[in-house]
Amino acid sequence: MAEEVWVGTWRPHRPRGPIMALYSSPGPKYLIPPTTGFMKHTPTKLRAPAYSFRGAPMLLAENCSPGPRYSVNPKILRTGKDLGPAYSILGRYHTKTMLTPGPGDYFPEKSTRHVFDSAPSHSISARTKTFRVDSTPGPAAYMLPMVMGPHTVGKVSQPSFSIKGRSKLGSFSDDLHKTPGPAAYRQPDVQATKFKAPQYTMAARVAPPGDKTLKPGPGAHSPEKVTLTKPCAPIVTFGIKHSDYMTPLVVDVE
């Protein structure tokens, strides 16, 4: 018998609990699906509807599309124009006619001077533009000299006198010093140097000071409804009708 190799105080023994080396299966690798939440929910249980808040959409690029800047006619569909029969009232067509001259429109007698030799002829025409712009004065533009008064021309006139107004320069009313007159001064207030007289004014009526709030009158109070000092407010009721033949309740008082 071969000699046993010394391995120390340790000897093979049965483990106290299960270990992974004793199992050939993958062990607790497969987990049971959860029954809460939305992701990986167990298919054997009912799942309530779940909602989530979605984030803001991504910004599109500027060159993605031109946007709603094209004004498309709403009557144009993908199959064509959606138009019904339309009618309009037009006016009567005008036919262009060529007016041909008649025999009376011709004047053959006026063509004589163009065909045959003729003597010179003159006509009276209107005034030319040269006379219209002529600046020569007419007879009414001249004024004859006066024959009466001191301004006659070529005649002797008698001396004439005129009544002229008084000159302000050098007269007695000429103010050389430019001093102010009595009217240039403003009359001072008499109350500035003398006792002031009493003055009265008509003012509005002054309301006496006091409380202006609305006070309740005697009719606003209901003393019959006061229950602070009594058990309750007086109450009146309609009793039942008693028979005259019913014996009244007699209580003997000793």
Side-chain angles (χ1 to χ4, degrees):
M1 184 176 182
E3 185 178 359
E4 295 181 1
V5 180
W6 173 254
V7 293
T9 59
W10 178 84
R11 291 291 183 272
H13 60 279
R14 189 175 183 84
R16 298 179 181 177
I19 59 177
M20 293 299 299
L22 299 178
Y23 301 96
S24 59
S25 62
K29 177 181 179 181
Y30 304 99
L31 298 178
I32 299 175
T35 58
T36 58
F38 182 79
M39 303 299 295
K40 298 181 179 180
H41 192 275
T42 176
T44 60
K45 301 292 183 180
L46 295 178
R47 183 180 62 182
Y51 305 95
S52 61
F53 291 93
R54 189 176 180 181
M58 298 178 60
L59 297 177
L60 300 178
E62 296 181 357
N63 56 355
C64 179
S65 64
R69 68 178 183 181
Y70 300 104
S71 180
V72 183
N73 190 355
K75 294 184 178 180
I76 297 179
L77 306 178
R78 61 183 182 85
T79 56
K81 290 185 177 181
D82 184 15
L83 297 176
Y87 305 95
S88 61
I89 302 175
L90 297 179
R92 181 175 295 176
Y93 290 98
H94 296 279
T95 305
K96 188 177 181 180
T97 57
M98 298 297 295
L99 298 177
T100 56
D105 294 334
Y106 298 98
F107 300 93
E109 65 276 4
K110 295 183 180 180
S111 62
T112 305
R113 62 181 178 177
H114 298 285
V115 179
F116 303 102
D117 295 334
S118 60
S121 59
H122 305 278
S123 62
I124 300 175
S125 62
R127 181 176 293 182
T128 59
K129 296 181 179 180
T130 305
F131 294 96
R132 294 181 181 179
V133 298
D134 193 1
S135 60
T136 304
Y142 299 96
M143 188 70 179
L144 295 177
M146 300 178 61
V147 295
M148 296 179 62
H151 301 289
T152 58
V153 178
K155 294 182 180 294
V156 180
S157 62
Q158 296 296 328
S160 57
F161 304 94
S162 61
I163 300 175
K164 192 177 182 182
R166 181 177 293 173
S167 178
K168 295 182 180 181
L169 182 63
S171 63
F172 68 93
S173 61
D174 187 12
D175 189 5
L176 301 179
H177 296 282
K178 303 296 181 182
T179 56
Y185 297 96
R186 185 177 59 86
Q187 184 179 1
D189 192 4
V190 182
Q191 298 179 1
T193 56
K194 297 183 179 181
F195 292 102
K196 185 177 180 180
Q199 296 179 353
Y200 304 96
T201 58
M202 298 180 65
R205 180 176 294 177
V206 180
D211 190 5
K212 297 182 180 180
T213 57
L214 296 178
K215 307 298 189 300
H221 301 278
S222 300
E224 67 276 2
K225 298 181 180 181
V226 177
T227 58
L228 297 177
T229 58
K230 298 180 180 181
C232 64
I235 300 174
V236 181
T237 59
F238 293 93
I240 62 175
K241 184 180 292 184
H242 297 279
S243 176
D244 297 335
Y245 302 99
M246 182 178 295
T247 305
L249 178 61
V250 177
V251 179
D252 295 336
V253 179
E254 294 178 358

